Amino acid sequence: MTVAPEDLVIDAARLLLPPAGTARALTPGLRARAAAVLLRLALEQALDAYWRQVTPRMTRIGKHRMLCLEWYAGHDIARQCRTTWVALSAACHYRTYELPPAPAEIRARLEEVTALLAALGAGPGTVAVGRRADT
């Protein structure tokens, strides 16, 4: 069973800002880390869906799919995707000598992932910036 990336983003938002009257058993840091895991998963699923439209073999390559993204989606989207994925990966990992991620930081990443889902969902129909259309 797979969950749509948009649903993962909604669940991450609920973790960051639980509805009124909800029992808050988890600390804000744990909720932020759990939201970061959901957001990274949503971004990875959106990348998989994007590459399935371009070439299905690219979904099995891992990090290389972000390196190649610049040629298909443009420099700005590829850069934003890489920086967001790296920041979310750092927030996901538990380190005993560091504080958990701040909820405000993860809320900013939530907005970035939402924008990336929209950009990647538009599909590979546009020519990347700096790339000639006839090549």
Side-chain angles (χ1 to χ4, degrees), residues 3 34 125 128:
V3 179

Side-chain angles (χ1 to χ4, degrees), residues 52-70:
R52 273 193 295 277
Q53 294 176 4
V54 176
T55 175
R57 288 185 290 169
M58 190 60 90
T59 60
R60 293 177 276 171
I61 296 180
K63 288 184 187 178
H64 296 130
R65 62 188 173 173
M66 275 195 240
L67 295 173
C68 297
L69 189 62
E70 184 171 348

